[in-house]
Coordinates of all heavy atoms in Angstrom, one line a residue:
M16 N 0.8 -1.2 0.0 CA 0.0 0.0 0.0 C 0.9 1.3 0.0 O 0.4 2.3 -0.2 CB -0.9 0.0 1.2 CG -1.9 -1.1 1.2 SD -3.1 -1.0 -0.1 CE -4.3 0.2 0.6
N17 N 2.1 1.1 0.2 CA 3.0 2.2 0.3 C 3.4 2.7 -1.1 O 4.1 2.0 -1.8 CB 4.3 1.9 1.1 CG 5.2 3.1 1.3 OD1 4.9 4.2 0.8 ND2 6.2 2.9 2.0
K18 N 2.8 3.8 -1.5 CA 3.1 4.3 -2.9 C 4.2 5.4 -3.0 O 4.4 5.9 -4.0 CB 1.8 4.9 -3.5 CG 0.8 3.8 -3.8 CD -0.5 4.3 -4.4 CE -1.4 3.2 -4.7 NZ -2.7 3.7 -5.1
E19 N 4.8 5.6 -1.8 CA 5.9 6.6 -1.8 C 7.0 6.1 -2.6 O 7.4 4.9 -2.6 CB 6.4 6.9 -0.4 CG 5.6 7.9 0.3 CD 6.1 8.2 1.7 OE1 7.2 8.6 1.8 OE2 5.3 7.8 2.7
K20 N 7.7 7.0 -3.4 CA 8.8 6.6 -4.1 C 10.0 6.3 -3.2 O 10.2 7.0 -2.2 CB 9.2 7.7 -5.1 CG 8.6 7.6 -6.5 CD 9.3 8.6 -7.4 CE 8.6 8.7 -8.7 NZ 9.0 9.9 -9.5
K21 N 10.8 5.4 -3.6 CA 12.0 5.1 -2.8 C 13.0 6.2 -3.1 O 13.3 6.5 -4.2 CB 12.6 3.8 -3.2 CG 12.0 2.6 -2.6 CD 12.8 2.2 -1.3 CE 12.2 1.0 -0.6 NZ 12.8 0.8 0.7
V22 N 13.5 6.8 -2.0 CA 14.5 7.8 -2.1 C 15.8 7.3 -1.6 O 15.8 6.5 -0.6 CB 14.2 9.2 -1.5 CG1 13.0 9.9 -2.2 CG2 13.8 8.9 0.0
P23 N 16.9 7.7 -2.1 CA 18.2 7.2 -1.6 C 18.4 7.6 -0.2 O 18.3 8.8 0.1 CB 19.3 7.8 -2.5 CG 18.6 8.6 -3.5 CD 17.1 8.7 -3.2
E24 N 18.7 6.7 0.7 CA 18.9 7.0 2.1 C 20.3 6.7 2.6 O 20.8 5.7 2.1 CB 17.9 6.3 3.0 CG 16.5 6.8 3.0 CD 15.6 6.2 4.0 OE1 15.9 5.1 4.5 OE2 14.7 6.9 4.5
R25 N 20.8 7.5 3.5 CA 22.1 7.2 4.0 C 22.0 7.4 5.6 O 21.1 8.1 6.0 CB 23.1 8.2 3.5 CG 23.4 8.1 2.0 CD 24.1 6.8 1.7 NE 24.5 6.7 0.3 CZ 23.7 6.2 -0.6 NH1 22.5 5.8 -0.3 NH2 24.1 6.1 -1.9
S26 N 22.9 6.7 6.3 CA 22.9 6.9 7.7 C 24.0 7.9 8.1 O 25.1 7.9 7.6 CB 23.3 5.6 8.4 OG 22.3 4.6 8.1
C27 N 23.6 8.8 9.1 CA 24.5 9.7 9.6 C 25.6 9.0 10.4 O 25.2 8.1 11.2 CB 23.8 10.7 10.5 SG 24.8 11.7 11.5
I28 N 26.9 9.3 10.3 CA 27.9 8.6 11.0 C 28.0 9.1 12.5 O 28.7 8.5 13.2 CB 29.3 8.8 10.3 CG1 29.7 10.2 10.2 CG2 29.4 8.1 9.0 CD1 31.1 10.5 9.9
G29 N 27.2 10.1 12.8 CA 27.2 10.6 14.2 C 26.0 9.9 15.0 O 26.3 9.1 15.9
C30 N 24.8 10.3 14.6 CA 23.7 9.8 15.4 C 23.1 8.5 14.8 O 22.3 7.9 15.5 CB 22.6 10.9 15.5 SG 21.8 11.3 13.9
G31 N 23.5 8.1 13.6 CA 23.0 6.9 13.1 C 21.6 7.0 12.4 O 21.1 6.0 11.9
A32 N 21.0 8.2 12.4 CA 19.7 8.3 11.8 C 19.8 8.1 10.3 O 20.7 8.6 9.7 CB 19.1 9.7 12.2
K33 N 18.7 7.5 9.8 CA 18.7 7.4 8.3 C 17.9 8.5 7.7 O 16.8 8.8 8.2 CB 18.0 6.1 7.9 CG 18.9 4.9 7.9 CD 18.3 3.7 7.1 CE 19.3 2.6 7.0 NZ 18.7 1.4 6.6
R34 N 18.5 9.2 6.8 CA 17.8 10.3 6.2 C 18.1 10.4 4.7 O 18.9 9.7 4.2 CB 18.4 11.6 6.8 CG 18.2 11.7 8.3 CD 18.9 12.9 8.9 NE 18.2 14.2 8.5 CZ 18.4 15.3 9.2 NH1 19.2 15.3 10.2 NH2 17.8 16.4 8.9
E35 N 17.3 11.2 4.0 CA 17.5 11.3 2.6 C 18.9 11.9 2.4 O 19.3 12.8 3.1 CB 16.5 12.2 2.0 CG 15.1 11.6 1.7 CD 14.2 12.5 1.0 OE1 14.6 13.1 0.0 OE2 13.0 12.6 1.5
K36 N 19.5 11.4 1.3 CA 20.8 11.9 1.0 C 20.9 13.4 0.9 O 21.9 14.0 1.4 CB 21.2 11.3 -0.4 CG 22.5 10.6 -0.5 CD 22.6 9.9 -1.8 CE 23.9 10.3 -2.5 NZ 24.0 9.5 -3.8
K37 N 19.9 14.0 0.3 CA 20.0 15.5 0.2 C 19.9 16.2 1.5 O 20.2 17.4 1.5 CB 18.9 15.9 -0.8 CG 17.5 15.7 -0.4 CD 16.5 16.2 -1.4 CE 15.1 15.9 -0.9 NZ 14.1 16.0 -1.9
E38 N 19.4 15.6 2.5 CA 19.3 16.2 3.8 C 20.6 16.1 4.6 O 20.7 16.6 5.7 CB 18.2 15.6 4.7 CG 16.8 15.9 4.1 CD 15.7 15.2 4.9 OE1 16.0 14.4 5.8 OE2 14.6 15.5 4.6
L39 N 21.5 15.3 4.1 CA 22.8 15.1 4.8 C 24.0 15.8 4.1 O 23.9 16.1 2.9 CB 23.1 13.6 4.9 CG 22.1 12.8 5.7 CD1 22.3 11.3 5.4 CD2 22.2 13.0 7.2
L40 N 25.0 16.1 4.9 CA 26.2 16.6 4.3 C 27.1 15.4 4.0 O 27.2 14.5 4.7 CB 26.9 17.5 5.3 CG 26.3 18.9 5.5 CD1 27.1 19.6 6.7 CD2 26.3 19.7 4.3
R41 N 27.9 15.6 3.0 CA 28.9 14.6 2.6 C 30.2 15.0 3.1 O 30.7 16.1 2.9 CB 28.9 14.4 1.1 CG 29.6 13.3 0.6 CD 29.3 13.0 -0.8 NE 30.1 11.9 -1.4 CZ 31.0 12.1 -2.3 NH1 31.2 13.3 -2.8 NH2 31.7 11.1 -2.8
V42 N 30.9 14.1 3.9 CA 32.2 14.3 4.3 C 33.1 13.6 3.3 O 32.9 12.4 3.1 CB 32.5 13.8 5.7 CG1 34.0 14.0 6.1 CG2 31.6 14.5 6.7
L43 N 34.0 14.3 2.7 CA 34.7 13.7 1.6 C 36.2 13.5 1.9 O 36.8 14.4 2.5 CB 34.5 14.7 0.4 CG 35.2 14.3 -0.9 CD1 34.3 13.4 -1.7 CD2 35.6 15.5 -1.7
R44 N 36.7 12.5 1.4 CA 38.2 12.3 1.4 C 38.6 12.2 -0.1 O 38.2 11.3 -0.8 CB 38.6 11.1 2.2 CG 40.1 11.0 2.3 CD 40.5 9.8 3.2 NE 42.0 9.9 3.4 CZ 42.8 9.3 2.5 NH1 42.5 8.7 1.4 NH2 44.2 9.4 2.8
S45 N 39.3 13.2 -0.5 CA 39.7 13.3 -1.9 C 40.8 12.3 -2.2 O 41.4 11.8 -1.3 CB 40.2 14.7 -2.2 OG 41.5 14.8 -1.7
P46 N 40.9 12.0 -3.5 CA 42.0 11.0 -3.9 C 43.4 11.5 -3.4 O 44.3 10.7 -3.2 CB 41.9 11.0 -5.4 CG 40.5 11.4 -5.7 CD 40.2 12.4 -4.7
E47 N 43.5 12.8 -3.2 CA 44.8 13.3 -2.7 C 44.9 13.1 -1.1 O 45.9 13.5 -0.6 CB 45.0 14.8 -3.0 CG 45.1 15.1 -4.5 CD 43.8 15.0 -5.2 OE1 42.8 15.5 -4.6 OE2 43.7 14.6 -6.4
G48 N 43.9 12.7 -0.5 CA 43.9 12.5 0.9 C 43.5 13.7 1.7 O 43.7 13.8 2.9
L49 N 42.8 14.6 1.1 CA 42.3 15.8 1.8 C 40.9 15.6 2.2 O 40.1 15.0 1.5 CB 42.4 17.0 0.9 CG 43.8 17.5 0.4 CD1 43.6 18.6 -0.6 CD2 44.6 17.9 1.6
W50 N 40.6 16.1 3.4 CA 39.3 15.9 4.0 C 38.5 17.2 3.8 O 39.1 18.3 4.1 CB 39.3 15.6 5.5 CG 40.0 14.2 5.7 CD1 41.3 14.0 5.8 CD2 39.3 13.0 5.9 NE1 41.5 12.7 6.1 CE2 40.3 12.0 6.1 CE3 38.0 12.6 5.9 CZ2 40.0 10.7 6.4 CZ3 37.7 11.3 6.1 CH2 38.7 10.3 6.4
E51 N 37.3 17.2 3.5 CA 36.5 18.4 3.4 C 35.0 18.0 3.4 O 34.6 16.9 3.3 CB 36.8 19.2 2.1 CG 36.5 18.4 0.9 CD 36.8 19.2 -0.4 OE1 36.4 20.3 -0.5 OE2 37.5 18.7 -1.3
I52 N 34.2 19.1 3.6 CA 32.8 18.9 3.6 C 32.3 19.3 2.2 O 32.7 20.3 1.7 CB 32.1 19.7 4.7 CG1 32.4 19.0 6.0 CG2 30.6 19.7 4.4 CD1 31.9 19.7 7.2
D53 N 31.6 18.4 1.6 CA 31.2 18.6 0.2 C 29.7 18.8 0.2 O 28.9 17.8 0.1 CB 31.6 17.4 -0.6 CG 31.0 17.4 -2.0 OD1 30.6 18.5 -2.5 OD2 30.9 16.3 -2.6
P54 N 29.2 20.1 0.2 CA 27.8 20.3 0.3 C 27.0 19.9 -0.9 O 25.8 19.6 -0.9 CB 27.6 21.8 0.6 CG 29.0 22.3 0.8 CD 30.0 21.3 0.2
T55 N 27.7 19.8 -2.1 CA 27.0 19.4 -3.3 C 26.9 17.9 -3.4 O 26.0 17.4 -4.2 CB 27.8 20.0 -4.5 OG1 29.0 19.3 -4.6 CG2 28.0 21.5 -4.4
G56 N 27.7 17.2 -2.7 CA 27.7 15.7 -2.9 C 28.2 15.2 -4.2 O 28.0 14.0 -4.5
R57 N 28.9 16.0 -4.9 CA 29.3 15.6 -6.3 C 30.7 15.5 -6.5 O 31.2 15.1 -7.6 CB 28.7 16.6 -7.3 CG 27.2 16.6 -7.4 CD 26.7 17.3 -8.6 NE 25.3 17.0 -8.8 CZ 24.3 17.7 -8.2 NH1 24.6 18.7 -7.4 NH2 23.0 17.4 -8.5
K58 N 31.5 15.9 -5.5 CA 33.0 15.9 -5.8 C 33.5 14.5 -5.8 O 32.9 13.6 -5.2 CB 33.7 16.7 -4.7 CG 33.5 18.2 -4.9 CD 34.4 19.0 -4.0 CE 34.0 20.4 -4.0 NZ 34.7 21.1 -2.9
N59 N 34.6 14.3 -6.4 CA 35.2 13.0 -6.6 C 35.9 12.6 -5.3 O 36.6 13.4 -4.6 CB 36.3 13.1 -7.7 CG 36.7 11.7 -8.2 OD1 35.9 10.8 -8.0 ND2 37.8 11.6 -8.7
G60 N 35.7 11.4 -4.9 CA 36.4 10.9 -3.7 C 35.4 10.0 -2.9 O 34.3 9.8 -3.3
R61 N 35.9 9.4 -1.8 CA 35.1 8.6 -1.0 C 34.3 9.5 0.0 O 34.9 10.5 0.5 CB 35.9 7.6 -0.2 CG 36.5 6.5 -1.1 CD 36.9 5.3 -0.3 NE 35.7 4.9 0.5 CZ 35.9 4.0 1.5 NH1 37.0 3.5 1.9 NH2 34.8 3.6 2.2
G62 N 33.1 9.2 0.3 CA 32.3 10.0 1.2 C 31.6 9.2 2.3 O 31.4 8.0 2.3
A63 N 31.3 10.0 3.4 CA 30.5 9.5 4.5 C 29.4 10.6 4.7 O 29.7 11.7 4.3 CB 31.3 9.3 5.7
Y64 N 28.4 10.2 5.3 CA 27.3 11.2 5.5 C 27.0 11.6 6.9 O 27.2 10.8 7.8 CB 26.0 10.6 4.8 CG 26.1 10.6 3.3 CD1 26.7 9.5 2.7 CD2 25.7 11.6 2.5 CE1 26.9 9.4 1.3 CE2 25.9 11.6 1.2 CZ 26.5 10.5 0.6 OH 26.6 10.5 -0.8
L65 N 26.6 12.8 7.1 CA 26.5 13.4 8.4 C 25.3 14.4 8.3 O 25.2 15.2 7.4 CB 27.8 14.2 8.7 CG 28.0 14.7 10.1 CD1 28.3 13.6 11.1 CD2 29.2 15.7 10.1
C66 N 24.5 14.5 9.4 CA 23.5 15.5 9.5 C 24.2 16.9 9.5 O 25.3 17.0 10.0 CB 22.7 15.4 10.8 SG 21.9 13.9 11.1
P67 N 23.6 17.9 9.0 CA 24.2 19.2 9.0 C 24.2 19.8 10.4 O 23.6 20.9 10.6 CB 23.4 20.0 8.0 CG 22.1 19.3 7.9 CD 22.3 17.9 8.3
D68 N 24.8 19.2 11.3 CA 24.7 19.6 12.7 C 26.0 19.3 13.4 O 26.5 18.1 13.5 CB 23.6 18.7 13.4 CG 23.4 19.1 14.8 OD1 24.2 19.8 15.4 OD2 22.4 18.6 15.4
P69 N 26.7 20.3 14.0 CA 28.0 20.1 14.6 C 27.9 19.1 15.7 O 28.9 18.4 16.0 CB 28.3 21.5 15.2 CG 27.5 22.5 14.3 CD 26.3 21.7 14.0
E70 N 26.8 18.9 16.3 CA 26.6 17.9 17.4 C 26.8 16.5 16.9 O 27.4 15.7 17.5 CB 25.2 18.1 18.0 CG 25.0 17.3 19.3 CD 26.0 17.6 20.4 OE1 26.4 18.8 20.6 OE2 26.4 16.7 21.0
C71 N 26.3 16.3 15.6 CA 26.5 15.0 15.0 C 28.0 14.7 14.7 O 28.4 13.5 14.8 CB 25.7 14.8 13.8 SG 23.9 14.5 14.2
L72 N 28.7 15.7 14.4 CA 30.1 15.5 14.1 C 30.9 15.2 15.5 O 31.7 14.3 15.5 CB 30.8 16.7 13.5 CG 32.2 16.6 13.0 CD1 32.4 15.4 12.1 CD2 32.7 17.9 12.4
R73 N 30.4 15.8 16.5 CA 31.0 15.5 17.9 C 30.7 14.0 18.2 O 31.5 13.3 18.7 CB 30.5 16.4 18.9 CG 31.3 17.7 19.0 CD 30.9 18.5 20.2 NE 29.7 19.3 20.0 CZ 29.6 20.5 19.5 NH1 30.6 21.1 19.0 NH2 28.4 21.0 19.3
K74 N 29.4 13.6 17.9 CA 29.1 12.2 18.2 C 29.9 11.3 17.3 O 30.3 10.2 17.7 CB 27.6 12.0 17.9 CG 26.7 12.5 18.9 CD 25.2 12.2 18.6 CE 24.3 13.0 19.5 NZ 22.9 13.1 18.8
A75 N 30.1 11.7 16.1 CA 30.9 10.8 15.1 C 32.3 10.6 15.6 O 32.9 9.6 15.5 CB 30.9 11.5 13.7
E76 N 32.8 11.7 16.2 CA 34.2 11.6 16.8 C 34.2 10.6 17.9 O 35.1 9.7 18.0 CB 34.7 12.9 17.2 CG 36.2 12.9 17.7 CD 36.8 14.2 17.9 OE1 36.1 15.2 17.9 OE2 38.0 14.2 18.2
K77 N 33.2 10.6 18.8 CA 33.2 9.7 19.9 C 33.0 8.3 19.4 O 33.6 7.3 20.0 CB 32.0 10.1 20.8 CG 32.3 11.2 21.8 CD 31.3 11.3 22.9 CE 31.4 12.6 23.7 NZ 30.2 13.4 23.7
R78 N 32.1 8.1 18.4 CA 31.9 6.8 17.9 C 32.9 6.3 16.9 O 32.8 5.2 16.3 CB 30.5 6.8 17.2 CG 29.3 7.0 18.1 CD 28.1 7.1 17.3 NE 27.9 6.1 16.3 CZ 26.8 5.7 15.7 NH1 25.7 6.4 16.0 NH2 26.7 4.8 14.8
R79 N 33.9 7.1 16.6 CA 34.9 6.8 15.6 C 34.2 6.6 14.2 O 34.6 5.6 13.5 CB 35.8 5.7 16.0 CG 36.5 6.0 17.3 CD 37.3 4.8 17.9 NE 38.2 4.2 16.9 CZ 39.4 4.7 16.7 NH1 39.9 5.7 17.4 NH2 40.2 4.1 15.9
G80 N 33.2 7.4 13.9 CA 32.4 7.2 12.7 C 33.2 7.3 11.4 O 33.1 6.4 10.5
L81 N 34.1 8.2 11.3 CA 34.9 8.3 10.1 C 35.9 7.1 10.0 O 36.1 6.6 8.9 CB 35.8 9.6 10.1 CG 35.0 10.9 9.8 CD1 35.9 12.1 9.8 CD2 34.3 10.9 8.4
Q82 N 36.5 6.7 11.1 CA 37.4 5.6 11.1 C 36.7 4.3 10.6 O 37.2 3.6 9.8 CB 37.9 5.3 12.5 CG 39.0 6.3 13.0 CD 38.4 7.5 13.7 OE1 37.3 7.9 13.5 NE2 39.2 8.0 14.7
K83 N 35.4 4.1 11.1 CA 34.7 2.9 10.7 C 34.3 3.0 9.2 O 34.4 2.1 8.5 CB 33.4 2.8 11.5 CG 33.7 2.3 12.9 CD 32.4 2.2 13.7 CE 32.7 2.0 15.2 NZ 31.6 2.4 16.0
S84 N 33.9 4.2 8.8 CA 33.4 4.4 7.5 C 34.5 4.3 6.4 O 34.4 3.7 5.4 CB 32.8 5.8 7.4 OG 32.1 5.9 6.2
F85 N 35.7 4.8 6.8 CA 36.8 4.8 5.8 C 37.8 3.7 6.1 O 38.8 3.5 5.4 CB 37.5 6.2 5.8 CG 36.7 7.2 5.2 CD1 35.8 8.0 6.0 CD2 36.7 7.5 3.8 CE1 35.0 9.0 5.4 CE2 35.9 8.5 3.2 CZ 35.1 9.2 4.0
R86 N 37.7 3.0 7.2 CA 38.6 1.9 7.6 C 40.0 2.4 7.6 O 40.9 1.8 7.1 CB 38.5 0.7 6.6 CG 37.1 0.1 6.7 CD 37.0 -1.0 5.6 NE 35.6 -1.3 5.4 CZ 35.0 -2.2 6.1 NH1 35.6 -2.9 7.1 NH2 33.7 -2.5 5.8
M87 N 40.2 3.5 8.3 CA 41.6 4.1 8.5 C 41.6 5.0 9.7 O 40.5 5.3 10.2 CB 42.0 4.9 7.3 CG 41.1 6.1 7.0 SD 41.8 7.2 5.8 CE 41.8 6.2 4.3
E88 N 42.8 5.3 10.2 CA 42.9 6.2 11.3 C 42.6 7.6 10.9 O 43.0 8.0 9.8 CB 44.3 6.1 11.9 CG 44.5 5.0 12.9 CD 43.4 5.0 14.0 OE1 43.2 6.0 14.6 OE2 42.7 4.0 14.2
V89 N 41.9 8.3 11.7 CA 41.5 9.7 11.4 C 42.0 10.5 12.6 O 41.4 10.4 13.7 CB 40.0 9.9 11.1 CG1 39.7 11.3 10.8 CG2 39.6 9.0 10.0
P90 N 43.0 11.4 12.5 CA 43.5 12.1 13.6 C 42.4 13.1 14.1 O 41.6 13.6 13.3 CB 44.7 12.9 13.0 CG 45.0 12.3 11.7 CD 43.7 11.6 11.2
A91 N 42.5 13.4 15.4 CA 41.5 14.3 16.0 C 41.5 15.7 15.3 O 40.5 16.4 15.2 CB 41.8 14.5 17.5
E92 N 42.7 16.0 14.7 CA 42.8 17.3 14.0 C 41.8 17.4 12.8 O 41.3 18.4 12.5 CB 44.2 17.5 13.6 CG 44.6 18.8 13.1 CD 45.7 18.8 12.0 OE1 46.5 17.9 12.1 OE2 45.7 19.7 11.1
I93 N 41.6 16.2 12.2 CA 40.7 16.2 11.0 C 39.3 16.5 11.5 O 38.6 17.3 10.9 CB 40.8 14.8 10.3 CG1 42.2 14.5 9.8 CG2 39.7 14.7 9.2 CD1 42.7 15.4 8.7
Y94 N 38.9 15.9 12.6 CA 37.6 16.2 13.1 C 37.4 17.7 13.5 O 36.4 18.3 13.2 CB 37.3 15.4 14.4 CG 36.9 14.0 14.1 CD1 37.8 12.9 14.1 CD2 35.6 13.7 13.8 CE1 37.4 11.6 13.9 CE2 35.2 12.4 13.5 CZ 36.1 11.3 13.6 OH 35.7 10.0 13.3
R95 N 38.5 18.3 14.0 CA 38.5 19.7 14.4 C 38.3 20.6 13.2 O 37.5 21.5 13.2 CB 39.7 20.0 15.2 CG 39.5 21.2 16.2 CD 40.6 21.3 17.2 NE 41.9 21.3 16.6 CZ 42.9 20.4 16.8 NH1 42.7 19.4 17.7 NH2 44.1 20.5 16.2
R96 N 39.0 20.3 12.1 CA 38.9 21.1 10.9 C 37.6 20.9 10.3 O 37.0 21.9 9.8 CB 40.0 20.7 9.9 CG 41.4 21.1 10.3 CD 42.3 21.5 9.1 NE 41.8 20.9 7.9 CZ 42.4 19.9 7.3 NH1 43.5 19.3 7.8 NH2 42.0 19.4 6.2
L97 N 37.0 19.7 10.3 CA 35.7 19.5 9.7 C 34.6 20.3 10.5 O 33.7 20.8 10.0 CB 35.3 18.0 9.6 CG 36.1 17.2 8.6 CD1 35.8 15.7 8.8 CD2 35.8 17.6 7.2
Q98 N 34.9 20.3 11.8 CA 34.0 21.0 12.7 C 33.9 22.5 12.4 O 32.9 23.1 12.3 CB 34.4 20.8 14.2 CG 33.4 21.3 15.2 CD 32.3 20.3 15.5 OE1 32.5 19.1 15.4 NE2 31.1 20.8 15.7
E99 N 35.1 23.0 12.2 CA 35.2 24.5 11.8 C 34.5 24.7 10.5 O 33.7 25.7 10.3 CB 36.7 24.9 11.6 CG 37.3 25.1 13.0 CD 38.9 25.3 12.8 OE1 39.3 25.4 11.7 OE2 39.5 25.2 13.9
E100 N 34.7 23.8 9.5 CA 34.0 24.0 8.2 C 32.5 23.9 8.3 O 31.8 24.6 7.7 CB 34.6 22.9 7.3 CG 34.6 23.3 5.8 CD 35.3 22.3 4.9 OE1 36.2 21.7 5.4 OE2 34.8 22.2 3.8
L101 N 32.1 22.9 9.2 CA 30.6 22.7 9.4 C 30.0 24.0 10.0 O 28.9 24.4 9.6 CB 30.5 21.5 10.2 CG 29.0 21.0 10.5 CD1 28.3 20.7 9.2 CD2 29.1 19.7 11.3
E102 N 30.7 24.5 11.0 CA 30.2 25.7 11.6 C 30.1 26.9 10.7 O 29.2 27.7 10.7 CB 31.0 26.0 12.9 CG 30.5 25.2 14.1 CD 31.4 25.1 15.2 OE1 32.4 26.0 15.3 OE2 31.3 24.3 16.1
R103 N 31.1 27.0 9.8 CA 31.1 28.0 8.8 C 29.9 27.8 7.8 O 29.2 28.8 7.5 CB 32.4 28.0 8.0 CG 32.8 29.4 7.5 CD 34.2 29.5 7.0 NE 34.5 28.4 6.1 CZ 35.5 27.5 6.2 NH1 36.3 27.6 7.2 NH2 35.7 26.6 5.3
L104 N 29.7 26.6 7.4 CA 28.6 26.3 6.5 C 27.2 26.6 7.1 O 26.3 26.9 6.4 CB 28.6 24.9 6.0 CG 29.7 24.5 5.0 CD1 29.8 23.0 4.8 CD2 29.4 25.2 3.7
A105 N 27.1 26.4 8.4 CA 25.9 26.5 9.1 C 25.4 27.9 9.2 O 24.2 28.2 9.5 CB 25.9 25.8 10.5
K106 N 26.3 28.9 9.1 CA 26.0 30.3 9.2 C 25.2 30.8 8.0 O 25.4 30.3 6.9 CB 27.3 31.1 9.5 CG 27.6 31.1 10.9 CD 29.0 31.7 11.2 CE 29.5 31.3 12.5 NZ 30.9 31.5 12.6
Ligands
LIG17 ZN1 23.1 12.9 12.7

């Protein structure tokens, strides 16, 4: 009976909530190894998804969300830089 169209869903690496892709921010690791937030979701590289909420990034750090998602070590400094970028985008 559900006639709603299937929309692509992703889980936030912080709170774990499933949301539509377009409602989430993409955290990108470029082929050069640079980390950034990709609001368009179109840049080249591997991505993980996060609610547009600095609180979720803090949760992701506690849960080691990026480490799990990318299967690599992620220094605390990377989280701090992403946090700054996220706060800038939120303004
Ligand atoms: Zn979240």
Side-chain angles (χ1 to χ4, degrees):
M16 294 298 274
N17 186 357
K18 287 179 179 172
E19 274 180 66
K20 267 191 191 170
K21 277 267 180 188
V22 289
E24 284 191 334
R25 294 291 182 275
S26 299
C27 168
I28 57 167
C30 65
K33 276 198 174 164
R34 301 172 72 162
E35 281 184 48
K36 229 169 127 177
K37 63 181 180 193
E38 293 177 351
L39 296 166
L40 286 175
R41 189 164 176 251
V42 179
L43 180 88
R44 187 174 185 275
S45 74
E47 295 79 35
L49 297 174
W50 296 84
E51 62 181 308
I52 288 172
D53 169 22
T55 67
R57 291 194 171 85
K58 287 189 190 172
N59 196 25
R61 290 200 54 194
Y64 290 86
L65 188 76
C66 303
D68 182 349
E70 192 54 41
C71 280
L72 187 57
R73 277 190 280 273
K74 283 182 192 160
E76 184 170 9
K77 280 197 193 121
R78 294 173 48 161
R79 299 172 58 81
L81 286 178
Q82 285 92 328
K83 284 179 194 158
S84 189
F85 290 88
R86 297 172 195 277
M87 61 168 65
E88 274 309 306
V89 180
E92 192 209 330
I93 299 296
Y94 281 99
R95 208 164 52 238
R96 286 215 339 257
L97 291 172
Q98 190 80 33
E99 282 168 12
E100 208 173 328
L101 186 56
E102 276 163 16
R103 209 168 51 234
L104 286 170
K106 275 171 197 161

